Amino acid sequence: MRKYLILLLSVTACCCNIAAQTITGEVVDAQQQPLAYTNVVLQTVDSAFVAGTVTNEKGNFKLEKAPTGDYRLVISNIGYRTLYIDLQGFSRTTDMGQLTLEEISEQLDEVTVTASGRINRADRKMVFPNKQQVNASSNGVDLLRALMLPRLRINTLDGSIAMSDGGTVQLCINGRKATKEEVTALLPDEIIRVDFQEDPGLRYGDAGAVVNYVVRRYDMGGSIGYNGRQNVESGFGSHNATGKVNFGKSEISFYYGNRLQFFKELWHDKTETFTFDDGSRYHRNQHAESNGKKNVQQWGAVTYNLQDNDKYMLNVTAGFSHYNDPALRMIGELYTEEHPTSITNRDEWKHNRNISPNLDIYFQRNLKHKQFLALNVVGTYINTKNRSSYTELLNDAPVVDYYSGVRGKKYSLIAEGIYEKGFKNGGRLSTGIRHTQGYADNDYNGTLQYNSQMKQADTYAYAQYGGKWKKLGYRLGLGITRSWFQQIGQEDYETYSLNPRLNLTYAFNDRWSASLNGNVSTINPSLAQLSAVEQLTDSLQSQRGNPNLKPYSYYRNTLRLNYSKGIWDIGVRGQYNYRDNVIMEEILRENNKFVHSYANHPNYSELTFGLDARVGMLWDMLQLSGSVESRNIRSHGRDYNHTRNSIGWDAGVTFMYKNFTAAIEYSHNSDYFFGEELATGEEAHMIQLQYRWKRLNLGLLMFNPFQKDYKREEANWNKYAGYSYHYHIDDIARMVCVTLSWNMNFGRDYKSSNKKIQNKDTDAGVL
């Protein structure tokens, strides 16, 4: 009997250890100094004691063997305001990061009691995924969708991430810049928390926000995983595999992903109006018959990481990306209102391919006295091979017959260094310099033949200081941009510009806060826009680059008011963007032909007002999110003035119960209007059902279940060559996909350094 009792107690202890987790963190004061001997208590929501400890001399604490459940973390010290953090659905080992206690003489402005695993700080939100959100996700992008962060929009089809106002999002993993493909390769179980920072510093360039994944690392063992989705009727799908292994100070990891787009039925209708030099008009209508489309994208990388705790880190990554669009053919008819009986048969065919290997070498050194130094060098080669043909037949005789082939080679080198210094008063100085050197050699053959050789160099240096004064947080910075370009056989140009930035945040209390952000950035023309070559489009139109383009200034100003308490997160925003001497398309008339090119136009502006809201978790199982925005756009060109007003909105509901997940998303994007080109806001909706069994996630995903036909509408308001365009893809309407993910990890955590820089070149330089 005694043996059975001992065995029972042993099994019970093992089960408790499996369910028990660890909570760690660092407690500091307002001057970022560690607070030793601070009381840290874990208690239930009704204040019953669960576990407790005190911080060591460095302000660090560790609560071990904390069972799964709903808790409140209470941190207190004499002379400081007590910090309360609610942990709803706590189920995994969690690093709370750096937690700040305010002196009693100061009003509380950063501490927020939250029932949704979030800590709202002056400069960012720290979001801790709960068990339900992890179970509902198959990769890092899915987890971000499950968190429903306000003002973030995740495209269900391709996984792209952007701000609701159209701003770009810089993704990071453990502080280093990362690509969407790398985030897709993350296993949800490895993600400790997600930091969300709007209007980040100068080192992130034009990014409107930074999403940083704080990921668990291992000193032994590793992980492996797969996640994917596949249409049950066609070749549409995406598949991702990842793995890593650790030994001592080293880690070797890999990831591979692909996206397949095999559409059975795709067609378009287009109406064009041409106005010639003599004032006469020509109305042309196009109809393309239903046809198929194939598109394959692949990416992958192998990374070696060597690091010695917090002293140094060496990271070497060899990666590639591959794009292949082997079969895009449009067959249809052309006819005009002026000659309705004269019908021309049109046959257009394209094959585009692009492969790009790259090598990324990164070194980081942590110095004494809160100093940090990092260097990054990235070399990229982009090989492009595009082919296209265009034929118009009248009574089986060719009216026009064009062929175009492009073989492009692009070489680039990006080098960047950053230095950061922290001060006792909590301030931080950040400086850096980045230089990009590119060379493109493109051969254009076919009906028109050219050789284009281009060189481009951009240098960006910045300095920024951030700190806090009472309840006001601030960041002041200044950047300088040098841009140089030369096309062989033509004159070069060189420009300099200043890029100031101001970020202010003010906390009225623990619920209400406001922020004001303004910055000026420099936008350089791409090598494709600068290319002095011309490609024939059809019998009336061609496309041409412009080597005389100059960089332009982009002014952005944003004011936000936020309310955050418990399960509620509500924000009101107003934003005004202004582009001076902006690069936009222009259409030229030459010998009764219409040339689509680019030029520096007077200005372009956007005024946006929006409301964003998130509620959850309700009853520990339901999350709601939604937003609405009104946008006014004014486009002032050399010979035109256009105004466009539109409204966009979206809503999402996620239901999580035990191992089941159900989600519904519905969005109607506001219109995109730039120059004279309009893309009306598309509607998209999604329904997802999912079940998790151990480490296997299996589900069904339906895109656009309420649509019979997916279509996209575009237009051009040009007075010489305007058009209206309708693009249809039957496969995307009511498309059902099977989703599957599986992952396994093993090993122990170890404290890793954070790679701060990652650069990448994607501009092939091909027109």
Side-chain angles (χ1 to χ4, degrees):
M1 183 68 181
R2 184 178 180 183
K3 290 191 299 181
Y4 293 113
L5 181 59
I6 294 174
L7 178 60
L8 179 61
L9 291 174
S10 299
V11 171
T12 304
C14 290
C15 293
C16 291
N17 286 336
I18 291 174
Q21 311 296 333
T22 300
I23 303 175
T24 60
E26 178 189 7
V27 182
V28 299
D29 61 16
Q31 286 71 45
Q32 304 298 301
Q33 296 302 303
L35 287 176
Y37 312 113
T38 298
N39 296 313
V40 180
V41 175
L42 185 68
Q43 60 186 26
T44 63
V45 292
D46 56 358
S47 301
F49 178 85
V50 177
T53 186
V54 295
T55 60
N56 60 20
E57 293 181 354
K58 295 183 179 180
N60 298 316
F61 69 87
K62 179 186 247 185
L63 285 171
E64 297 183 301
K65 299 181 180 180
T68 299
D70 296 335
Y71 298 105
R72 176 175 294 124
L73 191 66
V74 182
I75 303 174
S76 61
N77 198 328
I78 297 176
Y80 297 87
R81 293 185 181 274
T82 301
L83 171 61
Y84 300 90
I85 302 172
D86 285 0
L87 300 175
Q88 185 186 50
F90 171 75
S91 61
R92 299 184 304 145
T93 293
T94 300
D95 181 5
M96 303 299 294
Q98 191 179 80
L99 304 173
T100 304
L101 293 188
E102 298 290 340
E103 294 184 16
I104 292 178
S105 59
E106 297 181 8
Q107 186 172 350
L108 189 66
D109 65 345
E110 281 192 293
V111 175
T112 300
V113 178
T114 171
S116 56
R118 289 173 291 155
I119 300 175
N120 295 308
R121 303 195 62 183
D123 60 340
R124 66 187 184 276
K125 292 180 183 292
M126 301 168 64
V127 186
F128 297 87
N130 59 32
K131 183 179 180 181
Q132 298 98 314
Q133 292 165 334
V134 172
N135 287 344
S137 308
S138 58
N139 56 56
V141 175
D142 279 351
L143 182 61
L144 195 62
R145 181 184 290 110
L147 293 177
M148 288 187 170
L149 292 177
R151 293 176 291 280
L152 273 186
R153 300 293 174 264
I154 295 97
N155 187 302
T156 306
L157 278 176
D158 61 15
S160 59
I161 304 168
M163 299 293 291
S164 57
D165 58 9
T168 60
V169 175
Q170 175 61 65
L171 300 173
C172 295
I173 299 176
N174 283 341
R176 70 172 178 88
K177 295 179 183 177
T179 64
K180 179 186 60 127
E181 290 73 26
E182 289 180 281
V183 169
T184 304
L186 291 177
L187 302 181
D189 289 340
E190 295 180 339
I191 300 171
I192 300 173
R193 73 172 193 264
V194 176
D195 293 346
F196 178 50
Q197 180 182 3
E198 293 187 86
D199 301 297
L202 281 168
R203 59 177 295 261
Y204 294 103
D206 297 325
V210 171
V211 174
N212 178 40
Y213 292 80
V214 179
V215 177
R216 182 177 291 109
R217 300 290 300 274
Y218 305 96
D219 60 0
M220 292 185 64
S223 63
I224 187 170
Y226 163 83
N227 71 85
R229 63 179 63 165
Q230 184 61 53
N231 186 5
V232 297
E233 296 181 351
S234 70
F236 183 93
S238 61
H239 307 270
N240 302 276
T242 181
K244 65 178 64 174
V245 61
N246 300 85
F247 45 96
K249 299 178 182 179
S250 298
E251 176 184 88
I252 297 177
S253 62
F254 79 90
Y255 68 85
Y256 168 80
N258 62 45
R259 183 175 299 112
L260 314 174
Q261 299 186 69
F262 295 175
F263 299 125
K264 297 178 181 178
E265 295 187 60
L266 180 151
W267 76 96
H268 75 253
D269 297 298
K270 191 174 185 179
T271 301
E272 300 170 287
T273 301
F274 300 99
T275 302
F276 296 95
D277 295 334
D278 60 3
S280 61
R281 289 193 170 187
Y282 190 79
H283 299 83
R284 184 170 69 176
N285 298 313
Q286 299 183 31
H287 174 72
E289 300 174 1
S290 176
N291 208 331
K293 172 183 170 61
K294 295 182 179 180
N295 177 284
V296 179
Q297 300 177 57
Q298 302 179 81
W299 53 85
V302 176
T303 298
Y304 173 72
N305 181 280
L306 174 68
Q307 62 185 45
D308 184 4
N309 295 326
D310 292 330
K311 295 181 180 179
Y312 67 84
M313 179 172 70
L314 174 66
N315 188 283
V316 180
T317 300
F320 81 97
S321 63
H322 177 231
Y323 172 86
N324 189 19
D325 197 343
L328 177 58
R329 189 176 186 184
M330 292 291 184
I331 301 174
E333 296 180 340
L334 288 174
Y335 63 93
T336 65
E337 296 179 7
E338 289 76 13
H339 306 283
T341 59
S342 180
I343 299 176
T344 302
N345 293 318
R346 168 182 170 270
D347 189 343
E348 183 177 5
W349 172 84
K350 293 181 179 180
H351 183 173
N352 298 329
R353 190 208 61 142
N354 179 298
I355 186 167
S356 175
N358 63 82
L359 179 64
D360 183 335
I361 302 175
Y362 172 88
F363 179 76
Q364 170 183 311
R365 179 69 178 177
N366 296 323
L367 307 174
K368 296 180 179 179
H369 308 299
K370 298 184 179 181
Q371 297 181 95
F372 167 84
L373 181 67
L375 302 172
N376 184 219
V377 178
V378 179
T380 306
Y381 169 69
I382 303 176
N383 183 285
T384 303
K385 184 179 180 181
N386 297 342
R387 293 175 292 163
S388 64
S389 66
Y390 180 87
T391 304
E392 293 181 15
L393 300 172
L394 182 61
N395 299 324
D396 295 329
V399 178
V400 294
D401 189 3
Y402 298 149
Y403 172 79
S404 174
V406 183
R407 289 181 177 271
K409 298 178 180 179
K410 166 77 181 297
Y411 308 86
S412 73
L413 183 69
I414 304 174
E416 182 175 11
I418 63 173
Y419 169 79
E420 294 182 354
K421 164 68 176 174
F423 299 94
K424 292 183 179 180
N425 62 0
R428 189 164 192 85
L429 173 66
S430 177
T431 63
I433 184 169
R434 180 175 63 247
H435 180 77
T436 302
Q437 191 77 35
Y439 171 74
D441 186 355
N442 302 321
D443 286 319
Y444 297 81
N445 56 73
T447 306
L448 299 178
Q449 298 187 7
Y450 298 93
N451 176 261
S452 174
Q453 298 180 50
M454 296 173 288
K455 297 179 181 179
Q456 189 176 33
D458 298 312
T459 303
Y460 174 67
Y462 69 90
Q464 182 170 277
Y465 182 82
K468 187 178 178 183
W469 181 70
K470 295 185 178 180
K471 295 187 290 184
L472 178 68
Y474 60 89
R475 289 200 307 271
L476 301 171
L478 179 65
I480 301 176
T481 300
R482 171 190 177 268
S483 302
W484 176 85
F485 169 78
Q486 181 185 48
Q487 182 154 302
I488 305 302
Q490 300 192 25
E491 293 185 2
D492 62 348
Y493 76 76
E494 182 179 35
T495 62
Y496 291 85
S497 57
L498 296 178
N499 309 125
R501 184 184 293 260
L502 171 65
N503 302 92
L504 300 175
T505 57
Y506 188 84
F508 299 97
N509 50 44
D510 61 341
R511 302 179 185 182
W512 292 94
S513 64
S515 64
L516 175 64
N517 306 282
N519 68 84
V520 182
S521 57
T522 300
I523 307 299
N524 295 306
S526 68
L527 290 181
Q529 293 173 327
L530 291 165
S531 179
V533 301
E534 186 170 354
Q535 294 284 283
L536 298 173
T537 305
D538 56 35
S539 57
L540 291 174
Q541 301 176 96
S542 64
Q543 186 176 5
R544 181 193 300 165
N546 181 3
N548 297 316
L549 295 175
K550 298 294 187 293
Y552 68 87
S553 296
Y554 186 9
Y555 303 83
R556 284 178 290 188
N557 303 276
T558 305
L559 177 63
R560 296 188 184 92
L561 178 64
N562 296 297
Y563 173 85
S564 183
K565 177 176 173 56
I567 62 174
W568 293 92
D569 200 327
I570 302 173
V572 180
R573 54 186 163 86
Q575 185 172 28
Y576 179 71
N577 298 335
Y578 181 84
R579 309 187 194 207
D580 186 39
N581 201 31
V582 58
I583 297 175
M584 299 187 293
E585 186 187 35
E586 74 170 353
I587 299 178
L588 308 172
R589 294 188 298 186
E590 296 180 359
N591 301 320
N592 287 329
K593 300 286 186 180
F594 300 87
V595 180
H596 295 252
S597 187
Y598 305 93
N600 287 98
H601 293 269
N603 58 70
Y604 172 90
S605 64
E606 296 174 275
L607 179 61
T608 304
F609 295 98
L611 172 67
D612 307 277
R614 176 190 182 277
V615 185
M617 302 275 288
L618 294 170
W619 308 289
D620 202 22
M621 64 178 64
L622 185 66
Q623 287 186 141
L624 307 172
S625 70
S627 70
V628 61
E629 70 173 19
S630 173
R631 181 173 296 182
N632 172 268
I633 297 175
R634 298 178 183 273
S635 183
H636 181 197
R638 292 184 179 185
D639 58 353
Y640 61 81
N641 274 291
H642 298 308
T643 300
R644 182 71 177 184
N645 296 300
S646 67
I647 295 178
W649 58 271
D650 65 77
V653 179
T654 302
F655 176 81
M656 307 172 188
Y657 180 72
K658 293 185 176 179
N659 292 333
F660 288 93
T661 302
I664 299 177
E665 295 179 5
Y666 203 116
S667 65
H668 178 87
N669 297 329
S670 55
D671 296 344
Y672 173 80
F673 189 83
F674 190 74
E676 296 186 282
E677 296 183 339
L678 168 68
T680 57
E682 64 176 339
E683 287 192 359
H685 28 96
M686 176 272 291
I687 297 178
Q688 183 177 18
L689 299 174
Q690 187 172 277
Y691 178 76
R692 182 182 181 99
W693 181 72
K694 294 183 178 180
R695 294 190 174 274
L696 179 68
N697 260 349
L698 184 64
L700 289 176
L701 181 66
M702 178 177 281
F703 293 101
N704 302 317
F706 312 117
Q707 291 182 352
K708 294 182 179 180
D709 168 36
Y710 171 84
K711 65 180 180 180
R712 188 174 72 237
E713 299 181 6
E714 298 178 2
N716 189 302
W717 292 0
N718 185 262
K719 60 184 178 182
Y720 300 135
Y723 64 77
S724 176
Y725 180 86
H726 299 266
Y727 185 79
H728 303 259
I729 304 179
D730 266 0
D731 303 68
I732 298 182
R734 299 178 180 176
M735 180 173 67
V736 178
C737 293
V738 175
T739 64
L740 175 68
S741 70
W742 173 86
N743 65 75
M744 179 182 70
N745 60 71
F746 52 93
R748 298 178 301 171
D749 296 341
Y750 74 93
K751 189 176 181 181
S752 64
S753 298
N754 298 331
K755 181 178 175 185
K756 298 287 187 178
I757 309 174
Q758 186 182 68
N759 295 293
K760 187 177 182 181
D761 184 13
T762 58
D763 177 14
V766 172
L767 180 68

